[in-house]
Amino acid sequence: MLNSRSYIGKGNSVTVRRAGSFWAQNARQTSFPPSEAEVAEDAARQPIDVVIVALSSASLMNLFGPAEVFARANSLFPAPVYRVRIISAAAREYPTSFQVTLTAESTYREFKQEIDTLLVAGGLSWQSPLRNSETSQLLEWLRANCARSRRYGAFCTGGMMLAEAGLLHRKRATAHWSRLEEMAARYPDVQVLSDRIFVRDGNCYTAAGGSSAIDLALALVEEDLGGEVSLEIAKQMVLFLRRSGTQPQLSTTLLSQTSQIGSIGNLLVWMADNLDQDLSVSQLARRVAMSPRNFARHFVREVGKTPARHVIDLRLEAARRNLAHARLSLGDVAKASGFGSVEVFRRLFTKTFGTSPGRYRDRLENVRASVPARHF
DNA sequence: ATAGTCTTCCGCCAAG
DNA sequence: CGCTTGGCGGAAGACT
């Protein structure tokens, strides 16, 4: 088993285990804190070159969210692990969302350095690229450099640019939920997945954009440096929870929070936080001081589905999150998600997702394995 | 796999 | 009168 040393933690022997990780080359069991020689060795190591290409539509979140994740990783080690550069897909001075103009280190044309991880950042103001020489130069550059890089990916509508360049050919990919239909229609050779916040297919990564750009960056850091490091970064950034790629873009929980309709709106938030409680129609009705009949009627009108269905959706969503924790047994997952029994949990899960909880977890673990090793 | 029990949903109706 | 509310009962289906 390959190990990497960790500079995090107060214990005596904190190790980060990760096959094929950034540290794989000279992997060995190490202790915490690392010895002086080990620190020196890490400090001398070449950083990983992360290049973020900012399309003219790029949103700030897609640029700086991931950049911050990599920068935080650097702060955990004696020398930078990542060298992050943001380069422009157009002029050096380029507009972003919200009227903020940025000056990039260089444009893609001038950029000649190594690229380990190439990421294309888009935004919602993206428009289908015109088929002119300007565009074809960028597409050509993307094709050449993605082929050279260890891995490449995109945030939000950046994925459209990759698809336009043919770099998502026959790959599974995603984009912002509002652009998924357009993506599927425009690029029929791409297998567009709608229920993910990010998708990895081989060494190609696509994220929905917005905060999921951060989730994808954390996943990349986890591949390189292990889960302990990415979790530490998530903690530093005060992320409520670190999400796996398989979370739906528009979650039941999130939609609950956007419903601001009187007492039901508050109840929806409370429900999402109290999945272990009795969420029967009669109990819910009591919480909002309505008769069960009247409550059910209001609920359907305002939420668009019946109370019981909503409870099931919330619990299944929690179950999908909980299934990502390999340590929890299926019984624990069922309990933590508020299901009365494993049998009930299994039946509902299978009926809704077409696959049993066990198989679903197996698939999660398969997706995580087989990371392309970094070439030194 | 099955049968008995419980819960949910929804149309209907009367009361406020 | 128009609209909302709450109770009833049966059908569907979920649970044990």
Side-chain angles (χ1 to χ4, degrees):
Chain A
M1 184 39 72
L2 303 168
N3 301 293
S4 71
R5 63 186 143 272
S6 175
Y7 296 88
I8 310 161
K10 302 183 184 74
N12 288 326
S13 59
V14 179
T15 51
V16 180
R17 287 159 300 282
R18 190 80 206 176
S21 76
F22 170 65
W23 305 100
Q25 290 298 307
N26 297 305
R28 61 175 176 274
Q29 187 74 35
T30 58
S31 58
F32 181 88
S35 72
E36 266 179 48
E38 288 167 343
V39 172
E41 187 187 327
D42 289 346
R45 206 182 296 273
Q46 277 298 306
I48 296 175
D49 287 293
V50 176
V51 174
I52 303 176
V53 180
L55 300 180
S56 54
S57 60
S59 84
L60 294 171
M61 190 95 154
N62 288 323
L63 292 172
F64 297 130
E68 168 115 13
V69 170
F70 295 119
R72 297 252 171 192
N74 286 346
S75 71
L76 298 174
F77 291 88
V81 179
Y82 293 102
R83 180 160 46 206
V84 184
R85 296 193 180 87
I86 297 178
I87 65 175
S88 166
R92 279 188 60 189
E93 283 213 351
Y94 63 100
T96 65
S97 53
F98 307 114
Q99 286 102 41
V100 176
T101 298
L102 297 178
T103 305
E105 183 178 315
S106 76
T107 70
Y108 75 92
R109 288 192 193 82
E110 303 154 0
F111 192 83
K112 298 284 189 272
Q113 285 101 312
E114 287 266 314
I115 301 177
D116 175 273
T117 304
L118 176 53
L119 300 166
V120 181
L124 287 179
S125 59
W126 186 84
Q127 289 174 340
S128 319
L130 298 170
R131 301 250 155 94
N132 56 27
S133 64
E134 179 113 346
T135 309
S136 59
Q137 276 180 37
L138 174 62
L139 294 176
E140 188 47 49
W141 185 90
L142 284 175
R143 275 189 288 269
N145 285 279
C146 286
R148 255 204 298 279
S149 66
R150 176 171 63 111
R151 59 189 178 192
Y152 63 94
F155 308 122
C156 199
T157 55
M160 304 288 233
M161 216 55 173
L162 290 183
E164 186 78 20
L167 289 160
L168 300 183
H169 180 62
R170 298 172 71 106
K171 286 193 189 297
R172 291 177 295 124
T174 194
H176 191 271
W177 55 267
S178 67
R179 298 303 190 108
L180 289 171
E181 271 183 37
E182 183 183 349
M183 189 182 208
R186 200 175 156 86
Y187 309 105
D189 61 324
V190 180
Q191 193 184 335
V192 179
L193 302 184
S194 58
D195 59 344
R196 307 292 170 86
I197 58 170
F198 64 82
V199 174
R200 167 167 163 238
D201 189 334
N203 66 338
C204 170
Y205 303 73
T206 45
S211 64
S212 78
I214 293 174
D215 294 298
L216 174 53
L218 283 169
L220 295 176
V221 169
E222 178 166 353
E223 283 185 8
D224 295 333
L225 304 169
E228 199 182 350
V229 175
S230 68
L231 188 61
E232 177 64 24
I233 297 168
K235 269 160 59 183
Q236 286 193 11
M237 291 177 74
V238 201
L239 297 176
F240 170 61
L241 59 94
R242 232 177 83 217
R243 300 178 296 181
S244 70
T246 52
Q247 297 303 318
Q249 291 189 22
L250 294 176
S251 74
T252 308
T253 313
L254 177 64
L255 293 177
S256 300
Q257 289 169 352
T258 58
S259 174
Q260 288 301 324
I261 315 135
S263 48
I264 299 253
N266 291 333
L267 180 71
L268 291 174
V269 176
W270 179 85
M271 286 167 73
D273 279 338
N274 292 276
L275 294 178
D276 55 330
Q277 308 246 341
D278 175 6
L279 301 181
S280 67
V281 173
S282 58
Q283 288 303 310
L284 292 173
R286 179 182 291 192
R287 281 197 74 85
V288 288
M290 283 188 204
S291 73
R293 179 74 190 89
N294 202 35
F295 165 70
R297 202 158 25 207
H298 276 273
F299 196 98
V300 171
R301 198 170 64 218
E302 294 174 15
V303 183
K305 54 186 165 182
T306 62
R309 183 68 239 177
H310 185 68
V311 170
I312 290 170
D313 288 346
L314 284 172
R315 287 185 169 150
L316 285 175
E317 189 170 290
R320 286 218 282 181
R321 280 199 299 271
N322 289 328
L323 279 172
H325 294 284
R327 277 179 220 151
L328 293 177
S329 70
L330 290 189
D332 292 339
V333 170
K335 193 186 280 182
S337 317
F339 290 100
S341 72
V342 206
E343 290 75 23
V344 172
F345 165 52
R346 200 194 320 274
R347 191 164 41 226
L348 275 169
F349 192 96
T350 308
K351 191 177 169 193
T352 307
F353 300 122
T355 179
S356 71
R359 281 169 196 268
Y360 178 84
R361 172 179 271 170
D362 288 344
R363 217 177 58 204
L364 275 185
E365 281 164 11
N366 287 337
V367 169
R368 283 189 201 155
S370 72
V371 179
R374 181 165 192 251
H375 306 297
F376 283 87

